[in-house]
Amino acid sequence: DAGITQSPRHKVTETGTPVTLRCHQTENHRYMYWYRQDPGHGLRLIHYSYGVKDTDKGEVSDGYSVSRSKTEDFLLTLESATSSQTSVYFCAISQKRVLADTQYFGPGTRLTVL
Amino acid sequence: DQQVKQNSPSLSVQEGRISILNCDYTNSMFDYFLWYKKYPAEGPTFLISISSIKDKNEDGRFTVFLNKSAKHLSLHIVPSQPGDSAVYFCAAKGGADGLTFGKGTHLIIQP
């Protein structure tokens, strides 16, 4: 199994509060990603990082920000959580080779915004 | 608009028989395709992949077929085992760095 951990694994918070989710890897992979999974939507990309301090937006980035100050850590922040951000959040990592970009996923964080 | 479609939300197969999961895509820029398996309360686990330069890839009981002209791929599991019961996601990559996922198919293996 790829060495990916996510913390916290579960969180309940109230609307309007800031929330930060952490993804930590021990694989020294360059690329890291945040996805959310909702019923009827599969997984959707929020933000990704292609190196330390290098990040870009994904399909559903509104209301989220990310930071990557070290290779091993990728943080996802909800500045002011809303009920629509109740979801399961997955972090993924990859080495990104040409025609062989397999992403490996962490165990997920279940976030509930009341 | 959904670029990766898994039209069967669920599939029930008898233990020992073949399971065939299907996936269609619309974006001709996709050049790498993956299948993930997911159990409840766990992250997706990588199963098998195929690049657009191939039409078949095998790994043990799992085979993925790619038909580029039809923009269709399928995952075959032979023989199906009880531990194969899970949600299977088809994913595709091309251009942008993230993966585009289908909505998943819940595979149920009946004893």
Side-chain angles (χ1 to χ4, degrees):
Chain A
D1 288 347
I4 311 169
T5 56
Q6 292 184 232
S7 57
R9 293 293 314 279
H10 299 88
K11 186 169 182 68
V12 180
T13 191
E14 295 191 350
T15 298
T17 59
V19 176
T20 295
L21 309 183
R22 179 181 183 237
C23 177
H24 178 78
Q25 61 146 330
T26 57
E27 306 296 321
N28 201 35
H29 281 16
R30 179 181 173 190
Y31 290 81
M32 298 184 76
Y33 310 81
W34 278 107
Y35 292 85
R36 60 180 287 175
Q37 186 194 7
D38 304 291
H41 284 278
L43 280 81
R44 292 179 292 172
L45 182 67
I46 305 171
H47 280 279
Y48 65 96
S49 169
Y50 46 97
V52 172
K53 293 188 168 49
D54 293 322
T55 65
D56 207 345
K57 296 179 179 180
E59 178 189 355
V60 290
S61 60
D62 287 348
Y64 302 94
S65 63
V66 289
S67 65
R68 191 167 177 201
S69 58
K70 298 184 289 185
T71 299
E72 57 265 35
D73 289 326
F74 192 31
L75 304 180
L76 176 71
T77 297
L78 291 66
E79 301 290 348
S80 178
T82 67
S83 58
S84 65
Q85 293 176 312
T86 292
S87 187
V88 181
Y89 292 86
F90 291 102
C91 173
I93 64 174
S94 78
Q95 280 288 45
K96 196 186 181 188
R97 294 182 173 82
V98 176
L99 294 181
D101 183 16
T102 299
Q103 296 183 16
Y104 297 93
F105 285 82
T109 294
R110 181 173 292 276
L111 176 67
T112 302
V113 183
L114 302 176
Chain B
D1 202 20
Q2 226 188 329
Q3 298 188 69
V4 176
K5 297 178 185 178
Q6 295 178 255
N7 292 318
S8 299
S10 67
L11 175 68
S12 184
V13 174
Q14 257 193 321
E15 183 179 354
R17 307 293 285 268
I18 183 171
S19 295
I20 300 175
L21 294 93
N22 294 304
C23 178
D24 298 294
Y25 62 96
T26 57
N27 189 339
S28 56
M29 296 298 292
F30 289 146
D31 58 9
Y32 188 61
F33 303 89
L34 309 91
W35 285 94
Y36 287 88
K37 174 181 179 180
K38 188 181 181 305
Y39 293 120
E42 294 184 12
T45 300
F46 170 68
L47 209 51
I48 192 169
S49 62
I50 188 167
S51 71
S52 57
I53 60 174
K54 295 185 175 182
D55 54 19
K56 178 182 173 181
N57 188 28
E58 269 183 277
D59 184 1
R61 297 186 298 116
F62 303 94
T63 302
V64 56
F65 296 92
L66 176 62
N67 182 334
K68 287 187 289 294
S69 61
K71 293 191 175 69
H72 176 83
L73 64 155
S74 61
L75 173 68
H76 293 211
I77 306 173
V78 183
S80 299
Q81 299 174 353
D84 296 331
S85 294
V87 177
Y88 288 78
F89 289 99
C90 171
K93 187 175 184 310
D97 284 274
L99 296 176
T100 302
F101 281 83
K103 293 183 179 181
T105 296
H106 185 194
L107 176 64
I108 302 160
I109 305 302
Q110 306 269 11

